[in-house]
Amino acid sequence: PGDFLGFCRWLAVALTPGQAEFARVAFDGGSPVGGADGVSLFGGVTEVPMGARSVVAAVCGARAGKSYVVVALRLVFGMLVRDLSSMAPGQRAVALIVAPNDKLRTEVLNYAVGAVRMKPELAAMLQGEPRADDFTLRRPDGALVAFETGVATRGGYGARGRALTDFALDESAFFRDASYKVNDQEIFRAGAARVLPGGQTIVASTPWAQAGLLYELWRDNFGTPKDALVAHAPTLLLHNSEMTRGIVARERSR
């Protein structure tokens, strides 16, 4: 498939209307017009300036599907379609995800491996068995692309010096280094400059404090995108299932 929504349909992943609208605008280059979801998600934006989609920030409620759809599936798709012609001979491309801890890093890796294994065409591209931190695909054009995961507390596993098909910071509002200092900006700067042409830096998180990278991207770009496209979505806007509605209702009561 030539776009991300087509990729999800090919995988038989049923996106919710909110997730599909997010993907259509943020990943497939559509204009956020023609529906309430678009107005709500992107703050009423009707046009996205050239280059603003190079950074996509998703400020989302819990259980909205951001780690699965916005991060894991998006980066697997990028591994398959990204133009690698600008790379140096012998250089290997990497789809890199950084998370706050091992549990979240492993969750995203498992999502990605599950997506690859659900389609025989993708499973045949796997080079050996996935490891605890990564796996590698050999594309039909012969190029090897690795899917790697890192932990923010350990410096993001070296984003510098890499050629990144896409770069994602999952749950970035909770990034801390070994001394508990917030290090989201440092990791963002290290990786964003290494993303290959056509790739994206994705900053996705449930919100926390009015400080740090996620908050600054939202403050400066939500509704008025300049150097990033920002979506702001409560849980039910992206995942309005009966089960999720019940969870949200219980949490509001509590």
Side-chain angles (χ1 to χ4, degrees):
D3 59 25
F4 180 71
L5 285 175
F7 179 66
C8 291
R9 288 192 294 269
W10 183 65
L11 291 177
V13 173
L15 302 183
T16 68
Q19 290 169 347
E21 175 66 7
F22 174 90
R24 184 185 69 81
V25 176
F27 297 152
D28 290 342
S31 297
V33 295
D37 283 342
V39 173
S40 300
L41 278 172
F42 300 99
V45 174
T46 57
E47 290 190 19
V48 181
M50 183 73 69
R53 286 187 182 87
S54 62
V55 176
V56 172
V59 185
C60 301
R63 303 183 68 89
K66 59 185 175 298
S67 294
Y68 180 47
V69 176
V70 176
V71 176
L73 293 185
R74 177 65 182 86
L75 266 69
V76 170
F77 177 66
M79 294 172 73
L80 302 171
V81 303
R82 198 66 62 231
D83 181 4
L84 308 181
S85 61
S86 63
M87 293 173 52
Q91 190 176 21
R92 181 172 296 190
V94 176
L96 179 62
I97 293 173
V98 181
N101 54 51
D102 273 318
K103 180 179 178 181
L104 289 175
R105 175 195 62 76
T106 301
E107 181 179 61
V108 175
L109 180 70
N110 289 340
Y111 283 149
V113 171
V116 169
R117 283 179 164 161
M118 74 168 61
K119 294 293 287 188
E121 297 93 330
L122 296 182
M125 299 181 195
L126 272 172
Q127 300 298 291
E129 283 296 307
R131 301 187 300 182
D133 296 328
D134 59 54
F135 65 87
T136 299
L137 299 181
R138 183 180 293 278
R139 304 192 327 181
D141 62 5
L144 293 172
V145 182
F147 185 105
E148 296 186 5
T149 60
V151 176
T153 54
R154 298 202 290 266
Y157 271 73
R160 292 179 174 83
R162 318 295 292 280
L164 305 180
T165 54
D166 295 286
F167 176 48
L169 288 73
D170 191 34
E171 295 295 0
S172 62
F174 304 94
F175 279 19
R176 301 288 188 275
D177 63 16
S179 63
Y180 298 97
K181 178 183 176 183
V182 176
N183 63 347
D184 52 1
Q185 290 279 8
E186 177 186 355
I187 293 172
F188 174 80
R189 286 193 296 268
R194 275 79 182 177
V195 175
L196 291 167
Q200 292 177 303
T201 299
I202 301 166
V203 182
S205 185
T206 46
W208 186 241
Q210 291 189 5
L213 173 66
L214 184 75
Y215 172 70
E216 291 173 7
L217 288 171
W218 173 85
R219 179 195 64 196
D220 297 340
N221 293 278
F222 181 63
T224 55
K226 296 181 284 291
D227 54 10
L229 178 63
V230 178
H232 193 165
T235 297
L236 295 182
L237 187 57
L238 291 188
H239 197 195
N240 193 6
S241 67
E242 182 178 354
M243 181 184 72
T244 306
R245 289 196 298 272
I247 293 171
V248 170
R250 288 195 299 272
E251 286 302 299
R252 282 178 174 161
S253 176
R254 185 174 67 85

